[in-house]
Structures are given as C-alpha cells and as structure tokens.
Amino acid sequence: TLIMGKLAAFGFMTNAAAGVPGQPTPLASHQIILSLLFFCSPFLEVISQTAQTFLPPFLAPIRKFMERNNVSPAEAEDMETVKPWLKASGVVSATLLGCGFLAGAGIASLVCLVPAFNGGLLTSDTTVQQAVKPLAKYLWLGAFAWAPVAVGEGILLAQRHLGFLAIIYLLSTAMLPPALFMIKLRKGSVEQIWFLFGLFQIFRAVCFTGRIWWGPFLMKKLFKKNKTAQAAPATA
C-alpha cells in the first residue's frame, strides 16, 4: 500500500501537471518542485526506521505478558506489571513524533527557500523561475507533513497496527487520483495540484498521529463501555 500510495501521488500528479494549460512551463515547474521533494525525503523518512528499531524492545515484554496471561490490550493497560512498559513506550513514541515535527519544519523551511528566493539555482529559464515561486509554500506543506507521516508509520508498524495503516493508505490512495483528474479536466493549475498533495499528506499525518496519541485512550473508553454493557444483563 505504501508503494501504491507513492505511485498514485507522484504519477498522477505528473500526469495532471502535463495536462494543465500553458505548457511546457507548468510541467517544468512541477518537475523541479518534485525533485526538491525527492531530495529532502531521505532526511525525513529516516525517523521511521528509528521508530521500528527502538520501540520493539519496549513493546515485546507487554506482548509476552498478554500471551502468557491471555489478556486483551485494554485489560493489560490497567495492570501494574504493564504500566511501566506502556509509559516508557509512550515517551519514546512522543519523543520520536516531536523529532519528526521539528525535522519536518526545519528541512521543509530550508528546501522551500530555494524556489521562493533563488530559483536561478534550479533553472536558467526566468519564466520557470517565476513559476516555481508560488509553489514554494506547497512544497513546505508537503515536506513538513512527510516527516510525521514517516514517523507515525514507523511507530504504528512497531505497534503492529497493520490494519489501520492499510486502511488509511488505501483510503488516501483511492481519493487522490480522482481529485487530480478533476483538476486536469477543469484546466486547473500546478498550484492546485500541489495544494492537493499538501492536503493528502496532512490527512495521513493527522490520522497517524491521532491513532498514536489518542488511540489508546479511545480504545480504553470503548472497552470499558462494552464491558459495562455486557455486565448489565448479567446483573439483571
């Protein structure tokens, strides 16, 4: 689903950029911004590997305890044996997410300065230099959100929330191409394409960080509600 998402995002974006009026300038400016995004992506994705490396040692004892005692995750959260490990894994996850947001903001700010103020470093064509300037803010948005998406993905993979990841990737991947096709059909602009990509990234970032920060609280509330509902008929 990750590879499909990238193919949908960049392949369909390029296809849409090739179909907007005023060629070849729109496509040239799109390719330049896309190249800058690819340039900074390794610096943003590396934290995903960090999460998958450092989180499992905190989560493995919890899984072993649950398997040994045959308890659910919601039940295990209230047990004193599990709480220190949960707290430690929560601190690591929050630290990694914080690092992701800081890294995303810093790297995105540095990269977007080039098209915004010094397009001559990217191309000698003055028309294209002017065309990439308004795209700088959308480059910042997409690059900034890339880091929490990567970090969130790494944390959720370490926590084995594979179903949730698959749903979000499939949902966002299914929504993006039709929206890009509408921009192409209505003779939109490259700015609209990159604004849509920014929303695409923000959607994933909000879903992943929300699942990490508020997911345990919501699952605990839901479990208690179900437990109360099951106990009511028994007492009656």
Side-chain angles (χ1 to χ4, degrees):
T1 53
L2 177 59
I3 296 174
M4 287 174 59
K6 288 185 176 181
L7 287 174
F10 305 128
F12 283 99
M13 282 172 65
T14 301
N15 178 266
V20 301
Q23 298 297 339
T25 301
L27 183 59
S29 60
H30 163 76
Q31 294 286 17
I32 287 174
I33 297 299
L34 189 60
S35 298
L36 288 172
L37 184 67
F38 286 156
F39 172 78
C40 66
S41 63
F43 302 99
L44 302 171
E45 286 191 344
V46 68
I47 311 178
S48 174
Q49 302 299 322
T50 305
Q52 294 177 60
T53 301
F54 286 97
L55 263 182
F58 295 94
L59 300 174
I62 300 175
R63 295 195 184 100
K64 289 180 180 178
F65 177 84
M66 289 167 54
E67 292 172 0
R68 187 167 57 246
N69 295 276
N70 195 26
V71 296
S72 67
E75 291 173 322
E77 286 179 3
D78 294 326
M79 298 180 177
E80 295 299 325
T81 307
V82 174
K83 284 182 178 179
W85 291 104
L86 280 177
K87 185 177 180 181
S89 66
V91 170
V92 174
S93 298
T95 302
L96 289 171
L97 277 174
C99 291
F101 279 108
L102 288 174
I107 293 172
S109 299
L110 288 174
V111 170
C112 75
L113 288 175
V114 179
F117 300 106
N118 204 347
L121 293 175
L122 304 170
T123 176
S124 59
D125 191 316
T126 55
T127 305
V128 178
Q129 289 176 24
Q130 294 301 315
V132 297
K133 281 187 177 181
L135 299 179
K137 53 183 176 291
Y138 304 117
L139 172 62
W140 186 93
L141 184 63
F144 166 71
W146 192 303
V149 168
V151 178
E153 176 193 279
I155 293 172
L156 292 171
L157 283 172
Q159 295 175 347
R160 298 184 182 176
H161 295 306
L162 305 182
F164 178 82
L165 280 168
I167 290 171
I168 298 302
Y169 275 129
L170 287 173
L171 182 62
S172 57
T173 300
M175 288 168 29
L176 182 64
L180 289 169
F181 178 74
M182 290 302 299
I183 292 175
K184 181 179 178 180
L185 192 65
R186 296 181 177 182
K187 304 297 182 182
S189 65
V190 177
E191 288 187 52
Q192 293 174 336
I193 293 170
W194 277 91
F195 175 70
L196 186 62
F197 174 72
L199 294 180
F200 171 82
Q201 289 286 81
I202 291 294
F203 171 76
R204 288 183 167 185
V206 169
C207 289
F208 291 169
T209 55
R211 180 65 182 83
I212 294 164
W213 281 339
W214 302 302
F217 173 78
L218 294 176
M219 291 299 292
K220 191 174 181 180
K221 288 291 184 182
L222 182 63
F223 175 79
K224 286 185 176 180
K225 186 182 291 186
N226 291 338
K227 193 174 182 180
T228 304
Q230 291 173 0
T235 55

